[in-house]
Amino acid sequence: MADAPITQDVLTIPRKETGGLRPLVGLTREQMREALIGLGTPEKQAKMRVGQIWSWLYWHGVTDFDMMTNLAKPYRAMLAENFTLERPEIVTRQISEDGTRKYLLRIAGGHEVEAVYIPETDRGTLCISSQIGCTLTCSFCHTGTQKLVRNLTAGEIVAQILVARDDLEEWGGLPTDKRKISNIVLMGMGEPLYNVDNVRDAMKIAMDGEGISISRRRITLSTSGVVPEIARVGEEIGCLLAISFHATTDEVRDKLVPINKRWNIATLLDALRAYPTLSNSERITFEYVMLKGVNDSDEDARRLVKLIAGIPAKINLIPFNPWPGAPYERSDWDRIETFGRIVNAAGYASPIRRPRGEDIMAACGQLKSATERARKSRAEIAAETQT
Ligand code: SAH
Ligand code: SF4
């Protein structure tokens, strides 16, 4: 829509010099304990201090040590001399006509990263990023055209949640189902399984019951299929798993999700069948982007259900979200529905994901930092889809 009521605030907060201070957000309880002991906190007190600080950081959301009123003044001063509580800077916040909010955040080194808040009737989902850019080059994904890549630290991953909670004014102890942010999906920029340690630490912090307290079953990690790391999601994080499947033959998947050349469909499915927490109540989500004439035939739908037979699963059909220069088109709505009916008749839930925040380029696969300049040309992208 040409004149949709999009608001865009440019909130450029003057950046304080952090002077080499260590970010406190993102340390696990154990790391924080060690750090405090290293700074002279008696071992016997360290656990209690961690508990106090933890609740200020992740329950109350404070950004100033002076607000930690149950700590003695000299102790607060000691913390302030060694740590920073600084949030990433919100460069822009765009609000879509459907209520979706896209945050562009500036983190250390001047890099930019995006997080998207999607309100729904029964939940509110925050979609967060795990990397700046992505080393993988899925041909339908905008993030994959961004060359600059670095892993986000655990602190930078958690900070996306903190910034969104600041913005939505949601601190304190509401029960999860009353919260604006009730769910988290790792479906923003980046491949989370190329940054598993930091993603794990960040999600442990998000799940901690004395802080942000989002249960493991309200967190979903999406991967393009980094097979050797998949089991760790169940074992070390315990959250739900989504797989960017998108094709039913290796020939097509090689083009859409090039990591398939390394770990093909059969190898990926073996890893999923062996997934530790697999059960009917913790089904794996198969994400399937609907690309006109590429992967959306009846035959594809039938092949899909055959391939995943025996895996407790849900199929999320994602209408392709276009971006400038994308070499694909979205499947027609009828086609998506017919595909969904075939999958559904085989006993799998097959919800069609309603595109959200399209007017602000916040939908799946549209994320890409605005200032990122090293773009691939359209020709390069098109060439990759042909190989
Ligand atoms: N790297 C991870 C997580 C981020 S992508 C992964 O690939 O799973 C999040 C989801 O958006 C993935 O399923 C991805 O395939 C999908 N996606 C990417 N580009 C898209 C686009 N242009 N339209 C619709 N979905 C897209
Ligand atoms: Fe990376 Fe996921 Fe995009 Fe593929 S779909 S390029 S893995 S962010």
Side-chain angles (χ1 to χ4, degrees):
M1 255 173 277
D3 49 5
I6 305 168
T7 66
Q8 172 157 335
D9 318 342
V10 179
L11 311 161
T12 305
I13 305 153
R15 203 162 177 80
K16 285 191 298 269
E17 223 357 276
T18 53
L21 298 177
R22 185 173 183 191
L24 195 52
V25 165
L27 299 185
T28 61
R29 281 180 181 266
E30 188 48 36
Q31 287 166 341
M32 197 187 290
R33 186 177 162 273
E34 279 165 19
L36 296 180
I37 291 171
L39 291 166
T41 305
E43 279 202 33
K44 277 193 288 190
Q45 283 176 18
K47 194 168 169 220
M48 181 181 73
R49 296 284 171 248
V50 170
Q52 290 170 314
I53 295 169
W54 197 270
S55 132
W56 288 117
L57 295 184
Y58 300 120
W59 184 270
H60 299 284
V62 307
T63 53
D64 185 343
F65 289 106
D66 275 336
M67 295 180 75
M68 301 187 175
T69 45
N70 57 356
L71 298 175
K73 272 197 180 158
Y75 198 78
R76 287 184 241 159
M78 180 282 288
L79 293 174
E81 275 163 29
N82 291 282
F83 297 105
T84 171
L85 294 178
E86 196 175 36
R87 300 274 203 256
E89 183 182 335
I90 300 181
V91 183
T92 56
R93 178 190 66 180
Q94 288 172 282
I95 304 180
S96 161
E97 57 178 345
D98 68 12
T100 300
R101 291 177 179 224
K102 179 164 88 167
Y103 305 98
L104 180 66
L105 306 177
R106 185 172 299 143
I107 55 171
H111 300 301
E112 288 176 352
V113 67
E114 284 169 322
V116 180
Y117 172 66
I118 308 150
E120 287 171 281
T121 43
D122 62 336
R123 68 180 69 183
T125 304
L126 185 68
C127 174
I128 58 176
S129 297
S130 56
Q131 298 183 305
I132 299 158
C134 185
T135 51
L136 300 171
T137 51
C138 302
S139 51
F140 55 89
C141 173
H142 204 202
T143 306
T145 66
Q146 184 171 329
K147 278 185 173 159
L148 179 69
V149 178
R150 127 162 131 62
N151 275 342
L152 297 181
T153 63
E156 289 163 346
I157 297 169
V158 173
Q160 295 171 60
I161 308 172
L162 307 189
V163 166
R165 288 191 111 189
D166 289 345
D167 184 48
L168 296 165
E169 297 178 7
E170 183 167 68
W171 286 106
L174 282 176
T176 325
D177 58 353
K178 298 257 176 346
R179 293 195 200 166
K180 292 178 190 153
I181 301 175
S182 60
N183 293 57
I184 291 177
V185 293
L186 281 147
M187 294 187 186
M189 295 162 69
E191 170 47 63
L193 296 192
Y194 277 163
N195 189 17
V196 197
D197 291 351
N198 290 336
V199 166
R200 176 202 55 215
D201 289 351
M203 291 308 102
K204 291 276 183 209
I205 292 170
M207 291 186 274
D208 191 296
E210 283 162 36
I212 301 167
S213 189
I214 293 186
S215 97
R216 61 177 195 89
R217 295 170 73 154
R218 287 181 178 270
I219 300 178
T220 303
L221 180 152
S222 172
T223 177
S224 59
V226 184
V227 164
E229 305 291 347
I230 285 179
R232 291 182 66 193
V233 179
E235 284 158 7
E236 296 179 29
I237 308 175
C239 65
L240 303 184
L241 182 65
I243 301 289
S244 293
F245 205 62
H246 307 320
T248 60
T249 64
D250 282 323
E251 196 194 347
V252 176
R253 196 163 190 269
D254 280 352
K255 286 179 194 152
L256 299 182
V257 189
I259 201 173
N260 194 68
K261 294 180 197 157
R262 181 98 185 265
W263 295 290
N264 65 15
I265 292 178
T267 313
L268 174 59
L269 291 172
D270 282 347
L272 299 182
R273 291 203 162 86
Y275 189 66
T277 57
L278 190 59
S279 68
N280 275 326
S281 63
E282 294 192 24
R283 294 173 294 172
I284 292 177
T285 301
F286 284 75
E287 298 164 278
Y288 199 96
V289 65
M290 299 298 294
L291 304 171
K292 194 177 200 160
V294 176
N295 63 356
D296 61 351
S297 69
D298 289 357
E299 214 187 336
D300 278 305
R302 285 192 283 267
R303 249 194 317 260
L304 175 61
V305 293
K306 251 195 205 150
L307 281 169
I308 65 171
I311 302 177
K314 167 173 112 183
I315 320 291
N316 234 338
L317 299 177
I318 315 173
F320 171 63
N321 293 312
W323 37 272
Y328 299 107
E329 280 176 70
R330 177 181 293 179
S331 305
D332 295 333
W333 203 257
D334 284 358
R335 182 88 298 271
I336 301 178
E337 286 187 336
T338 308
F339 193 102
R341 268 197 297 275
I342 296 174
V343 172
N344 201 253
Y348 296 99
S350 55
I352 302 172
R353 196 182 287 171
R354 201 157 47 92
R356 299 292 303 262
E358 278 187 295
D359 50 348
I360 55 170
M361 289 283 285
C364 297
Q366 292 184 315
L367 302 184
K368 176 165 169 170
S369 335
T371 56
E372 199 277 311
R373 279 175 251 278
R375 284 162 198 232
K376 288 186 188 176
S377 67
R378 284 174 192 218
E380 263 182 288
I381 298 161
E384 274 168 16
T385 66
Q386 309 299 314
T387 51

